[in-house]
Amino acid sequence: MERSRQKSLDLSIQWLLKSIDPQTGGSRANYSLIFNGLHGWSGPYPETTGYIIPTFLKAATDYRYSELDQRARTMAEWLLTLQFDDGAFPGNIYYPGITLEKSIFNTGQIILGMTAIYDQTNDKRFLTSADRAAQWLASNQAQDGSWQKFNYVKSFSPSYYSRVSWPILKVYARTGNEVLKQCALCNLESIHARQLTNGFIDGAGFKPGSYAFLHTVAYTIRGFLESSLILNDDTLWNVGYVFAEKLMHQFELRKRLYGAYYPDFKGIKWYQCLTGNAQISIIWLKIFFKTGDPRFLNAAHKAIDTVVARQVKSSINPNLIGGIAGSSPVFGRYMAMRYPNWAVKFFADALMLEHEASKKLTSN
Amino acid sequence: MRVALTAGYARSKHAIALMGMLKRIPSVEVVLLLQVKTFTIKRLTQLVKLYGVSNAIQKFKNIFVPSPDHELADETRYIAQFLEDNDIGFSSVNEACARLGVRCTRVESLNSDAAVAAITENDVDLLVYAGGGILRKNCIAATRYGVLNAHSGPLPFFRGMNCLEWTLLHGVKPQVTVHLIDTGVDTGPILNYYPWELDANDTIYSLRGKSVVMEVKALTDVVSRFDHFFAGKRIQRREEGKQFFMMHPFLKKNLSEKLSRNATSLIPYEEFEKRHFVKA
């Protein structure tokens, strides 16, 4: 790995280790001296702890961060304790004694962790957990493919729920349960129907009829691409591809990704959503792997540069070192004044995938 | 045929070479040179946006105080040698114009009213592009035949920036394409192709330098037989190509390593087109 990238990956892994809550073993959602008092750390976040598991496993297996193996397992064990009897996982940040609500999206993201730890350990408890969670998602799906309950915004089934279909399909790929496949496809089709002629997928934000942070735009696209890879479905691939390609063109011409986008691709320019930058670079790398088109690798390198430049490399506060702010500048609208664990997670994923993409290019 | 030429800056060796070569074509009368002012806020802003602050400063520095150690020196020595070999001894386009009797007009932009007026007043048949920024419709439409450009990669597939590098990264032999400029990015009618060969120890920078020389030769050839090439022009379809952007240093490094060990396995563009592109 290129030296500056290796340093960034080291900083990211060290920061993610610092984020681990000593009581639960889960990864704390964010660090912020403004929102979380003098302590600085929020409580652990089940959703992102779930999808940090595959990051840790990959870093342990392929990049010799061996202690992460056990950390991932501890995370998964903690998540098992949070699962509701009906299979759902909770949303929101965990604080002892506070009751958590069930969440469609967060359940999906935790499945990503459960399937990854199952693949690694072959421990059936994790697959059973993922299967129960997926079946809970299927049983709560409305006929039109959306979810009307357990949403972030009441009765709004956003387009980034394509990233709920992806984990459902992961369970389908391991259990062969056709009900799950139909559930995922029905959801993806309903979201596909929202795609505009310019490639944008409407409803990709947290709220209906509003802008979408790059973070949730990336969730939306990734859901389609990953689902298509599992099902080998070109139609699903193209839904994500045209959206991602448009962003790539705009990024190359404007030299930056915007913090948030409206459906006409006009953006909110005054801040960048750094986690979104990392997520989009992952998407472009995925496209490079599938198509071999080096323009996407090129754009991914540049998008990763924007995050490398903004990762905290030195500070008198050790909890900031390795952290990545939600927005740049730090007071931007997305996760203002906070350093979320998912920004670092996606950045670490991007760095590892970038390294593999570079190896692929070299071997071609 | 009445021909005008553009120049991105006064000491552009590329433009000086073209001026010298075009003046030697008996059927061509070079009537105008449009030199874009080097220091305008808009231009500087565009350069910084395109290359980043440090690279933009380095580019400017190299124009005025060329450093023999900088990689750009490797790039520019081929066009310098070409000028010497062809006895073109001007140090700037202004000097070339003065000595060759060509009107030289300095403009803020090639799309400015002043530029368009100069083209119209001089009854220009063909504008030959040798730098100066993106052209808009008003400038393109001001001449009889349009604006001629030499593109560093094979069209229609490789459009946009750094196309020599992108061509090589795709394992394709380098080729200069001469085409007419339209309002799209390298999407105008193609007049002719000029493939050329690599040497075993070429670097990205030596190749870029050689490509510039080939571009001068290609434009000179097309202008000298313009009617012939214009009659046989190939119209591009938008979907035939891809737009490429500035290549990231990691990809350049990868390409450099490939060049050092694998330069002879490049395929001709025609073969690449057959393999990778389904014609409608």
Side-chain angles (χ1 to χ4, degrees):
Chain A
M1 189 179 279
E2 202 270 338
R3 194 182 295 170
S4 69
R5 299 303 213 233
Q6 182 63 59
K7 189 183 171 192
S8 292
L9 183 59
D10 286 340
L11 286 169
S12 302
I13 297 299
Q14 294 311 317
W15 191 91
L16 285 171
L17 285 170
K18 279 184 277 190
S19 82
I20 290 175
D21 176 40
Q23 309 303 321
T24 62
S27 175
R28 292 175 286 195
N30 63 77
Y31 183 82
S32 170
L33 284 172
I34 291 177
F35 289 92
N36 303 324
L38 284 178
H39 176 51
W41 288 102
S42 71
Y45 198 11
E47 174 203 341
T48 55
T49 296
Y51 62 46
I52 286 170
I53 290 172
T55 304
F56 272 18
L57 292 175
K58 188 181 176 83
T61 308
D62 298 342
Y63 294 86
R64 287 184 261 171
Y65 295 97
S66 49
E67 72 169 294
L68 297 184
D69 233 352
Q70 187 52 47
R71 295 287 190 173
R73 184 147 187 147
T74 308
M75 286 173 161
E77 295 286 353
W78 174 60
L79 291 170
L80 284 180
T81 68
L82 299 177
Q83 191 163 25
F84 290 92
D85 289 342
D86 58 5
F89 278 102
N92 235 319
I93 296 173
Y94 172 87
Y95 290 101
I98 295 177
T99 310
L100 294 175
E101 302 286 329
K102 296 170 187 176
S103 164
I104 295 294
F105 187 73
N106 298 26
T107 296
Q109 306 322 295
I110 291 168
I111 290 174
L112 294 173
M114 288 300 172
T115 50
I117 197 83
Y118 166 70
D119 291 346
Q120 178 82 4
T121 62
N122 212 24
D123 184 335
K124 287 276 192 298
R125 291 179 305 137
F126 299 122
L127 181 61
T128 304
S129 166
D131 188 34
R132 286 174 57 222
Q135 293 202 40
W136 176 78
L137 289 168
S139 66
N140 280 283
Q141 189 179 35
Q143 272 201 329
D144 64 357
S146 70
W147 279 277
Q148 295 301 317
K149 291 187 290 184
F150 312 115
N151 297 317
Y152 180 66
V153 171
K154 202 175 175 185
S155 300
F156 176 52
S157 190
S159 296
Y160 63 80
Y161 277 6
S162 60
R163 208 184 143 93
V164 175
S165 286
W166 167 32
I168 292 172
L169 287 169
K170 281 201 147 217
V171 178
Y172 158 72
R174 284 155 184 78
T175 63
N177 183 346
E178 285 290 329
V179 172
L180 297 180
K181 182 183 173 186
Q182 290 314 314
C183 163
L185 281 174
C186 190
N187 174 47
L188 290 166
E189 280 162 17
S190 72
I191 298 168
H192 182 192
R194 294 175 177 173
Q195 188 160 39
L196 309 175
T197 51
N198 65 5
F200 199 93
I201 298 175
D202 209 3
F206 285 124
K207 295 173 188 170
S210 184
Y211 60 80
F213 287 120
L214 186 60
H215 171 57
T216 53
V217 164
Y219 271 168
T220 307
I221 298 171
R222 182 90 185 267
F224 277 96
L225 297 185
E226 297 288 358
S227 297
S228 84
L229 290 173
I230 293 171
L231 296 175
N232 201 17
D233 183 320
D234 288 344
T235 306
L236 294 176
W237 177 265
N238 285 333
V239 176
Y241 178 86
V242 294
F243 199 166
E245 190 190 32
K246 188 80 177 268
L247 285 170
M248 186 268 282
H249 264 256
Q250 288 203 345
F251 171 64
E252 290 283 14
L253 294 171
R254 295 168 174 172
K255 309 293 171 203
R256 61 180 298 173
L257 287 158
Y258 294 156
Y261 287 85
Y262 290 98
D264 59 0
F265 278 99
K266 283 183 181 150
I268 300 176
K269 304 174 190 176
W270 67 270
Y271 64 94
Q272 293 187 68
C273 169
L274 296 179
T275 181
N277 288 15
Q279 288 171 268
I280 288 291
S281 67
I282 292 168
I283 285 164
W284 290 336
L285 290 166
K286 294 266 173 187
I287 293 175
F288 166 70
F289 274 106
K290 163 109 170 161
T291 65
D293 186 341
R295 295 177 307 153
F296 288 95
L297 174 58
N298 195 48
H301 283 320
K302 294 176 188 176
I304 291 170
D305 284 348
T306 67
V307 190
V308 168
R310 288 165 181 83
Q311 185 177 36
V312 180
K313 292 174 189 71
S314 61
S315 168
I316 54 165
N317 181 347
N319 289 320
L320 285 176
I321 297 171
I324 294 163
S327 289
S328 175
V330 70
F331 50 83
R333 272 189 210 163
Y334 183 69
M335 291 296 290
M337 313 306 290
R338 280 167 286 184
Y339 292 78
N341 66 0
W342 57 96
V344 181
K345 171 258 175 347
F346 285 117
F347 182 52
D349 285 348
L351 290 167
M352 291 188 282
L353 202 57
E354 181 193 42
H355 176 59
E356 285 153 34
S358 296
K359 280 202 293 191
K360 183 192 170 187
L361 189 73
T362 304
S363 67
N364 278 352
Chain B
M1 185 161 64
R2 293 171 69 80
V3 169
L5 193 64
T6 71
Y9 55 98
R11 292 168 65 148
S12 163
K13 288 187 173 67
H14 178 203
I16 294 167
L18 264 172
M19 172 77 87
M21 298 307 287
L22 294 179
K23 278 296 281 185
R24 294 176 189 181
I25 303 171
S27 59
V28 165
E29 187 184 357
V30 182
V31 294
L32 174 69
L33 181 122
L34 291 170
Q35 191 222 313
V36 180
K37 286 178 188 171
T38 313
F39 294 107
T40 63
I41 302 255
K42 193 176 175 187
R43 195 158 181 221
L44 291 173
T45 312
Q46 279 173 346
L47 266 177
V48 168
K49 205 174 165 189
L50 195 59
Y51 295 106
V53 177
S54 58
N55 283 341
I57 291 170
Q58 189 58 53
K59 275 192 176 282
F60 264 95
K61 201 174 151 196
N62 209 64
I63 289 169
F64 297 106
V65 196
S67 156
D69 302 326
H70 191 262
E71 56 209 14
L72 279 175
D74 195 22
E75 198 174 318
T76 52
R77 73 189 165 98
Y78 294 93
I79 190 72
Q81 186 63 48
F82 179 85
L83 289 168
E84 200 179 315
D85 293 347
N86 288 280
D87 291 324
I88 303 170
F90 314 118
S91 61
S92 70
V93 287
N94 310 83
E95 186 194 342
C97 286
R99 293 202 9 214
L100 297 171
V102 175
R103 181 182 158 187
C104 181
T105 302
R106 288 185 79 208
V107 291
E108 293 273 341
S109 148
L110 294 173
N111 307 304
S112 63
D113 291 344
V116 174
I119 293 169
T120 311
E121 282 162 20
N122 284 278
D123 196 18
V124 172
D125 293 315
L126 183 69
L127 181 61
V128 179
Y129 183 81
I134 292 167
L135 298 180
R136 305 278 176 222
K137 201 174 180 179
N138 60 340
C139 177
I140 296 167
T143 67
R144 187 174 165 204
Y145 292 112
V147 186
L148 201 61
N149 179 48
H151 178 67
S152 65
L155 292 174
F157 190 84
F158 295 96
R159 296 171 179 152
M161 297 190 67
N162 289 164
C163 278
L164 169 64
E165 290 91 324
W166 287 112
T167 305
L168 295 165
L169 195 72
H170 280 75
V172 177
K173 284 186 176 178
Q175 178 167 297
V176 165
T177 310
V178 177
H179 69 103
L180 288 166
I181 289 178
D182 66 7
T183 51
V185 177
D186 302 320
T187 50
I190 295 165
L191 274 66
N192 202 22
Y193 297 105
Y194 295 84
W196 53 283
E197 296 295 324
L198 278 70
D199 291 329
N201 46 9
D202 268 324
T203 65
I204 288 182
Y205 299 100
S206 70
L207 291 169
R208 283 173 63 99
K210 287 179 179 180
S211 178
V212 170
V213 172
M214 181 50 76
E215 287 160 28
V216 171
K217 288 178 180 172
L219 283 168
T220 308
D221 185 49
V222 168
V223 173
S224 68
R225 295 184 287 157
F226 186 76
D227 290 343
H228 165 72
F229 290 118
F230 189 72
K233 62 183 181 287
R234 171 182 171 182
I235 304 297
Q236 296 190 52
R237 283 179 286 119
R238 296 253 168 185
E239 67 276 12
E240 284 181 306
K242 289 181 177 176
Q243 186 177 352
F244 290 84
F245 300 93
M246 188 171 284
M247 190 179 270
H248 189 276
F250 286 0
L251 291 193
K252 283 191 180 174
K253 190 178 165 201
N254 186 293
L255 175 60
S256 289
E257 287 165 4
K258 274 191 175 161
L259 282 172
S260 65
R261 58 168 207 271
N262 205 19
T264 51
S265 67
L266 302 173
I267 60 167
Y269 175 65
E270 294 74 20
E271 199 177 317
F272 171 81
E273 209 176 48
K274 275 182 209 156
R275 279 191 205 172
H276 293 268
F277 182 65
V278 182
K279 288 182 179 173

